[in-house]
C-alpha cells in the first residue's frame, strides 16, 4: 500500500446518478472564489486529455464490449493520470480542487454494483490515487428512481442504462461507506430538495470546516 495522505483542499462530490453534483460543484466553486480562494473544478473519469478518451470508451452506450475487469482498470488508469497531471500540482499550489467523483465511486459502483472485493478496490484506489484521500467528501444522496429520471433528462450512458436494482445497490453502498467514515463524508439528501436548499447545506458544511 502507498502511504495515505489526506488533503484539506481536496473536496470530492459523490452520489448516485442525478443527485445534482455538477450544479452543486459549480455553485461551491463560485462561493469559494467569492471568499478569495483559487479553485479548480475537475472530474473522474475525464479530467485529463487522456481521461477524455478513456471516458468516451467507458461510457459509450453503443455496442462496444467492455468486461467488468477492463472497466475497473480503465477507471483506475484515468485516475492515475488525473491525480499526477492535474490534482497534485494544483494542491501543491494551495488551490482548492473540487472533483466530481473519486475513489468512493469505485467502491459504490465496482464493489456495490459489479461485486469486486472491497480489499481489491481499496488497494487499486490507493495505488492509482498515489495514496491521496480527500479530507472532505460531499455525498449527494438521491432516491434512485428520481435520480435516474433527472439524469436521463440530460444524457444516456452505459451506467444510466443499468437496472433499478443496480442503482439501488450503488445507493446503499454509498450510504454504508458514509456510515463508516462520517467525519470525512457528509451526507446531504437531495431527493425532495431544491437546488438552492442543497447549496445552503453544502455551504454550511464548508463554513463549518474552512471558515468557522
Ligand atoms: P458521469 O456522466 O460523470 O456520471 P454522473 O453525471 O452521474 O456523475 O459518468 C460517470 C459514470 O462512471 C457514473 O455512472 C459512475 C461511473 N463510475 C464508476 O463506475 N466507477 C468510478 O470509479 C467512477 C469514477 C465512475
Amino acid at each position: 500500500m502507498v502511504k495515505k495522505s489526506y488533503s484539506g483542499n481536496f473536496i470530492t462530490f459523490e452520489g448516485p446518478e442525478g443527485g445534482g453534483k455538477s450544479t452543486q460543484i459549480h455553485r461551491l466553486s463560485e462561493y469559494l472564489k467569492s471568499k478569495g480562494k483559487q479553485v479548480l473544478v475537475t472530474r473522474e473519469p475525464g479530467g485529463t486529455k487522456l481521461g477524455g478518451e478513456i471516458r468516451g470508451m467507458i461510457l459509450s452506450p453503443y455496442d462496444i464490449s467492455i468486461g467488468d475487469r477492463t472497466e475497473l482498470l480503465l477507471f483506475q488508469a484515468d485516475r492515475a493520470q488525473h491525480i499526477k497531471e492535474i490534482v497534485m500540482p494544483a494542491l501543491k499550489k494551495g488551490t482548492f480542487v473540487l472533483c466530481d467523483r473519486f475513489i468512493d465511486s469505485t467502491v459504490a459502483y465496482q464493489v456495490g454494483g459489479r461485486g469486486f472485493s472491497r480489499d481489491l478496490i481499496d488497494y487499486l484506489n490507493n495505488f492509482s490515487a498515489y495514496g491521496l484521500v480527500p479530507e472532505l467528501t460531499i455525498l449527494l444522496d438521491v432516491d434512485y428512481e428520481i435520480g435516474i429520471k433527472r439524469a436521463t433528462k440530460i444524457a444516456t450512458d452505459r451506467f444510466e442504462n443499468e437496472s433499478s436494482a443496480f442503482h439501488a445497490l450503488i445507493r446503499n453502498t454509498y450510504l454504508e461507506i458514509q456510515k463508516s467514515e462520517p467525519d470525512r463524508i457528509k451526507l446531504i439528501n437531495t431527493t425532495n430538495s431544491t437546488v438552492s436548499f442543497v447549496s445552503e447545506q453544502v455551504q454550511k458544511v464548508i463554513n463549518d470546516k474552512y471558515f468557522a
Side-chain angles (χ1 to χ4, degrees):
M1 278 283 206
V2 183
K3 195 170 169 292
K4 278 189 184 175
S5 71
Y6 285 84
S7 170
N9 280 10
F10 186 30
I11 303 174
T12 60
F13 278 71
E14 293 281 357
E17 324 282 321
K21 289 188 279 51
S22 45
T23 308
Q24 292 304 331
I25 289 173
H26 176 73
R27 288 186 165 215
L28 177 58
S29 165
E30 294 303 308
Y31 181 68
L32 288 170
K33 283 181 192 161
S34 77
K35 298 261 187 190
K37 305 292 180 193
Q38 296 280 351
V39 184
L40 175 85
V41 171
T42 186
R43 69 175 175 180
E44 288 190 2
T48 61
K49 203 166 179 200
L50 178 72
E53 302 283 327
I54 295 174
R55 183 184 168 87
M57 291 180 205
I58 309 177
L59 297 184
S60 170
Y62 304 111
D63 194 16
I64 299 173
S65 164
I66 302 180
D68 289 354
R69 290 185 190 204
T70 311
E71 175 191 273
L72 167 62
L73 294 171
L74 286 171
F75 280 121
Q76 300 295 0
D78 169 78
R79 177 163 303 137
Q81 187 65 28
H82 183 225
I83 292 299
K84 194 163 175 27
E85 184 184 325
I86 304 287
V87 178
M88 278 175 165
L91 292 173
K92 272 200 193 115
K93 282 195 238 153
T95 301
F96 271 87
V97 176
L98 310 184
C99 188
D100 191 338
R101 297 196 181 280
F102 186 51
I103 49 175
D104 301 300
S105 281
T106 325
V107 177
Y109 284 77
Q110 274 66 49
V111 177
R114 303 289 192 223
F116 287 105
S117 81
R118 178 71 196 260
D119 282 352
L120 172 70
I121 299 305
D122 284 349
Y123 187 86
L124 290 175
N125 277 347
N126 171 268
F127 179 73
S128 60
Y130 291 78
L132 190 66
V133 182
E135 248 177 49
L136 177 64
T137 295
I138 308 234
L139 171 55
L140 297 179
D141 180 45
V142 63
D143 177 272
Y144 61 89
E145 296 290 355
I146 291 180
I148 275 297
K149 265 187 213 137
R150 281 185 197 157
T152 46
K153 255 192 234 160
I154 306 159
T156 304
D157 67 41
R158 236 162 37 81
F159 286 91
E160 286 159 5
N161 286 334
E162 289 280 354
S163 66
S164 292
F166 179 87
H167 289 288
L169 283 172
I170 304 303
R171 184 186 189 197
N172 289 340
T173 309
Y174 269 128
L175 295 174
E176 278 167 23
I177 313 173
Q178 193 276 327
K179 275 200 207 110
S180 69
E181 288 186 77
D183 288 342
R184 173 173 71 89
I185 308 176
K186 301 299 175 200
L187 172 66
I188 298 176
N189 190 321
T190 74
T191 303
N192 294 311
S193 302
T194 61
V195 169
S196 302
F197 184 64
V198 175
S199 300
E200 279 169 28
Q201 292 180 79
V202 173
Q203 276 181 22
K204 188 177 177 314
V205 170
I206 296 297
N207 289 341
D208 288 351
K209 181 164 171 64
Y210 299 97
F211 305 114

